[in-house]
Amino acid sequence: DGGITQSPKYLFRKEGQNVTLSCEQNLNHDAMYWYRQDPGQGLRLIYYSQIVNDFQKGDIAEGYSVSREKKESFPLTVTSAQKNPTAFYLCATRRTGSYNEQFFGPGTRLTVL
Amino acid sequence: DAKTTQPTSMDCAEGRAANLPCNHSTISGNEYVYWYRQIHSQGPQYIIHGLKNNETNEMASLIITEDRKSSTLILPHATLRDTAVYYCIVRAVYAGGTSYGKLTFGQGTILTVHP
């Protein structure tokens, strides 16, 4: 089954703890993206990676970090420096050869208590 | 990227056509119109995109006005499963190297399909 996997769907953490969200894809797409969505709002870009071992900051990168050691994986770490980490986090890939057609995972809802 | 304006919400009866408008009066010549939708608590789903000609696929049709300042997404026979937030995004095909795929999602239109 081709697609994007984000796990877990719901995640709870205590304030001050770092947490890593997983994103795995078997679509063989080069580009991957992380977005954040707050209730009633659109998506905001956190980080993106066009190719393995390379990534760039998006519009709201502060308090987040990423790595791209493998084509299939693009984990996002929410650090304790992120002031309002509770949100819905979405991972996406861009179809190779397409400029703006993105495929999204099911998302992880992070709640920091 | 050109700014887009969409109505906050719309209703549609099941089985009827849903016509979702989008204004993008500042669109430039190299910018395409993209439509995505997001069903509650899921990731967005790509629907369709176009430059200046009308486009149709298995999900929807996209009608772009001749001056390209507005467009309409048409779901020909809406079902209850089409209830979602619909996002209209304007984006250049080529925005320079690492800018590929940097989409800006606004607040979109909440489409409610009722029986």
Side-chain angles (χ1 to χ4, degrees), chain A residues 38-59:
Chain A
D38 293 288
Q41 303 297 313
L43 282 66
R44 292 184 290 169
L45 183 64
I46 304 173
Y47 265 98
Y48 61 106
S49 168
Q50 302 288 4
I51 200 167
V52 175
N53 293 323
D54 185 57
F55 50 82
Q56 288 82 38
K57 293 181 179 180
D59 300 321

Side-chain angles (χ1 to χ4, degrees), chain B residues 43-104:
Chain B
Q45 176 189 24
Y46 164 82
I47 301 173
I48 198 168
H49 74 279
L51 181 63
K52 55 183 178 181
N53 297 321
N54 297 339
E55 302 287 344
T56 295
N57 63 20
E58 64 278 3
M59 289 183 68
S61 294
L62 174 60
I63 309 297
I64 302 174
T65 57
E66 194 167 341
D67 63 8
R68 302 209 322 123
K69 292 185 177 182
S70 65
S71 60
T72 301
L73 178 75
I74 301 172
L75 308 178
H77 305 287
T79 70
L80 299 178
R81 286 176 290 183
D82 291 321
T83 293
V85 179
Y86 287 78
Y87 297 100
C88 170
I89 300 167
V90 173
R91 178 70 179 163
V93 167
Y94 178 71
T98 57
S99 294
Y100 290 145
K102 284 183 68 178
L103 300 176
T104 300

